[in-house]
Amino acid sequence: MEIKEKAQEPYYPDGGYGWVIVGAIMLINVSLLTLVPCFGLIFGQEFNEWGVTSTQTSFLLHLHSSLYCSFGFFTSPVLKRYGMKPVALFGAALMCLGILLSSFATSYIHLIGSTSVLIGLGQGIVMPATYLGTYIYFKKRLTIAVSLTITSASLSPIVIPKVCDVMLSLVGRKYTVLLLFGVSLFSFIGCLLLKPVRRKDARSEEMMEVKGALSTTTQQEATTFFLQDDQKDPVYNDATVSKKSKTAVPIGLKLFDIFDLQLLHNTPLVIMIVGLGVSFAAELNIILMLQFMLGKLSLFNRSEIATAASIQSAADIVGRLVVPMCVHYFKVHAKLTYASALVVAILARTALSTWPTQKLVVYVVVTAIGLTKGTRAVFQSVLLPNYVDLDKITAANGINMLFTGIVSLIVGPLIGLVRDTSGSIIYALHSASLLSALCVVMWIIEYFFWERNNSAQVLDK
């Protein structure tokens, strides 16, 4: 029993090689996340020539996001078996291949396969590995570590839009995307630096020996090893199936255990996941389509769109780096910060729909959207550890990504359909705002009818 307690005790370095892990994740993000943030800038003109509608464009980009999010669910058990490094290497290889093939795209269907499927699946494999790296190395400094790693996702989009604008004028789309492919190859260096936490004290060696012993036993033998002192309990004897009975476990129950679906009984966690998924899909649609919208709604040329994209990415970094530090200093609740970011984004889209051709207003709106995007990116990763234990983080993140992927594939094209059927981008902006507002209202209701009541019960006890 004493060994079990030691083996379950989590250890967080909160520094040391953890900062190398942070640097490795930053390199992975900077080198891989380049094509999709500039997709509208690179392919906008060709989509007009190909006759691609807003619904089709939204479907392509949301299919990428859906596969990225959904596949994170299935990556959870793979990470448990193979670890961060090989999983990250495989995911990075798929993303690099997707960027390479996108440079040779000659049709919408071609881009579905390269950008949506390959890059989406690769991102869904590599990103959970990077999340796990921060979760296992940091606890007290988790918010800072997450903000640093997620901030890196917006570093390259500050420069890349302007680089792409120049490259598109000089060498065309094919060689512009090939340049992004060359940049993506640096991600392999970051993947090779990933490794699990190593403990060097005597207690950790004892834990490693126990872990090694358990890996050679069956699940039932492991249960006997840890619970041998409890076997004298008649309740244990009545509730436990004997090994000799060899009762087959249904496949459904095995999958339930593998993916830790018992987390769905955690009502506050489920409400949080629903809110994160719906708001992510609604906000992402506007962010992905913004470069297309600015050309049609605000009458921006390609150079102005590139400038707006760079401003958005710079504001994104402030949201990822500065806002979390301020929140950490003033001890503001993560959920309140995330909900506030949604409210600011709603107000920004309302201003854009009211004064769409006022350049100053547009640049302010783009700044606000970038700021809230960065803030949400950090705190959607910080929220889940508040609802589950460390050993369930990967599973909870997988469930969240699966739900987000499904919702994204539904919500994104629906907003695009609103744009096509109404003939107005403004209605698409209002549709996204309505969905985000519903999430904020849902969390407010959940606070008063769940969290507040639970807090009162704890105080009564």
Side-chain angles (χ1 to χ4, degrees):
M1 294 296 291
E2 182 179 358
I3 294 177
K4 180 187 174 183
E5 291 174 359
K6 289 182 179 180
Q8 289 181 338
E9 182 182 351
Y11 168 67
Y12 304 91
D14 266 314
Y17 195 81
W19 297 120
V20 177
I21 295 292
V22 169
I25 296 172
M26 292 177 71
L27 179 59
I28 292 171
N29 289 337
V30 167
S31 55
L32 287 178
L33 305 180
T34 54
L35 178 60
V36 175
C38 299
F39 191 84
L41 183 67
I42 295 173
F43 291 97
Q45 183 177 350
E46 286 178 291
F47 271 28
N48 289 331
E49 296 173 356
W50 296 346
V52 178
T53 64
S54 296
T55 304
Q56 291 174 315
T57 303
S58 183
F59 174 78
L60 184 150
L61 294 173
H62 278 274
L63 178 60
H64 157 266
S65 299
S66 179
L67 290 174
Y68 150 47
C69 294
S70 302
F71 214 73
F73 174 76
F74 301 101
T75 305
S76 173
V78 179
L79 277 171
K80 293 179 182 179
R81 181 175 180 83
Y82 296 104
M84 293 181 291
K85 185 185 296 184
V87 172
L89 284 170
F90 181 66
L94 284 180
M95 291 189 72
C96 291
L97 179 61
I99 296 173
L100 175 63
L101 295 180
S102 295
S103 66
F104 299 100
T106 56
S107 66
Y108 172 79
I109 298 299
H110 188 147
L111 286 172
I112 286 286
S114 59
T115 303
S116 299
V117 177
L118 286 178
I119 297 180
L121 289 178
Q123 194 170 348
I125 294 171
V126 71
M127 290 306 160
T130 63
Y131 297 152
L132 181 61
T134 53
Y135 290 148
I136 66 175
Y137 272 89
F138 294 92
K139 182 177 183 179
K140 294 180 180 179
R141 300 173 179 173
L142 178 62
T143 300
I144 302 300
V146 170
S147 66
L148 287 173
T149 56
I150 296 184
T151 295
S152 60
S154 289
L155 288 176
S156 55
I158 294 179
V159 181
I160 291 297
K162 281 297 184 182
V163 173
C164 289
D165 182 33
V166 174
M167 291 290 292
L168 287 168
S169 300
L170 295 177
V171 297
R173 185 260 296 171
K174 177 181 177 180
Y175 292 101
T176 300
V177 180
L178 281 176
L179 173 65
L180 301 183
F181 166 70
V183 172
S184 71
L185 296 178
F186 287 97
S187 62
F188 291 110
I189 299 175
C191 294
L192 292 173
L193 291 173
L194 298 178
K195 68 177 184 180
V197 176
R198 301 289 183 184
R199 297 183 63 177
K200 298 182 179 180
D201 55 8
R203 186 169 66 174
S204 68
E205 293 177 359
E206 181 182 6
M207 290 169 61
M208 293 300 293
E209 290 176 2
V210 172
K211 185 177 180 181
L214 287 177
S215 64
T216 60
T217 63
T218 64
Q219 182 178 5
Q220 291 176 334
E221 289 170 340
T223 304
T224 304
F225 178 80
F226 281 127
L227 302 179
Q228 56 186 348
D229 292 339
D230 298 331
Q231 291 184 8
K232 297 178 182 180
D233 190 341
V235 176
Y236 173 86
N237 292 328
D238 293 339
T240 306
V241 179
S242 173
K243 182 180 179 181
K244 294 180 181 180
S245 66
K246 297 183 179 179
T247 304
V249 179
I251 295 178
L253 292 178
K254 289 183 179 179
L255 293 176
F256 193 88
D257 291 334
I258 290 174
F259 294 106
D260 289 318
L261 296 181
Q262 63 270 18
L263 292 172
L264 297 177
H265 294 297
N266 186 340
T267 303
L269 175 65
V270 171
I271 293 175
M272 174 54 62
I273 288 176
V274 171
L276 289 175
V278 174
S279 62
F280 175 88
E283 298 294 325
L284 181 67
N285 183 81
I286 301 302
I287 291 169
L288 292 177
M289 298 294 292
L290 189 60
Q291 294 174 14
F292 293 96
M293 290 181 178
L294 292 179
K296 297 178 180 179
L297 182 64
S298 303
L299 306 178
F300 274 26
N301 57 39
R302 192 174 68 192
S303 179
E304 290 172 329
I305 293 174
T307 300
S310 296
I311 292 174
Q312 177 186 311
S313 297
D316 191 345
I317 287 183
V318 176
R320 294 170 188 255
L321 190 59
V322 178
V323 173
M325 290 182 178
C326 294
V327 168
H328 180 75
Y329 180 79
F330 291 105
K331 302 186 185 305
V332 181
H333 197 282
K335 185 190 290 187
L336 177 60
T337 305
Y338 189 96
S340 300
L342 290 180
V343 173
V344 173
I346 292 171
L347 295 175
R349 285 192 295 273
T350 303
L352 179 62
S353 62
T354 306
W355 302 284
T357 58
Q358 298 293 324
K359 288 190 177 181
L360 179 59
V361 173
V362 174
Y363 286 131
V364 171
V365 167
V366 167
T367 302
I369 290 177
L371 186 67
T372 57
K373 175 178 178 289
T375 302
R376 289 183 293 99
V378 173
F379 286 95
Q380 69 186 8
S381 300
V382 174
L383 282 170
L384 291 182
N386 294 327
Y387 290 85
V388 294
D389 296 328
L390 175 67
D391 59 337
K392 301 294 184 181
I393 284 293
T394 304
N397 188 59
I399 294 172
N400 177 46
M401 295 181 74
L402 176 62
F403 178 78
T404 300
I406 295 173
V407 172
S408 178
L409 194 58
I410 297 172
V411 170
L414 280 178
I415 295 178
L417 185 61
V418 170
R419 159 71 179 90
D420 288 333
T421 54
S422 66
S424 174
I425 297 176
I426 293 176
Y427 287 109
L429 293 172
H430 291 326
S431 299
S433 296
L434 177 62
L435 290 173
S436 294
L438 288 175
C439 294
V440 175
V441 172
M442 180 178 64
W443 285 337
I444 293 174
I445 295 174
E446 186 264 338
Y447 171 77
F448 282 102
F449 288 92
W450 187 272
E451 289 189 13
R452 198 173 179 182
N453 290 338
N454 284 355
S455 299
Q457 292 175 6
V458 171
L459 290 175
D460 292 339
K461 294 180 180 179

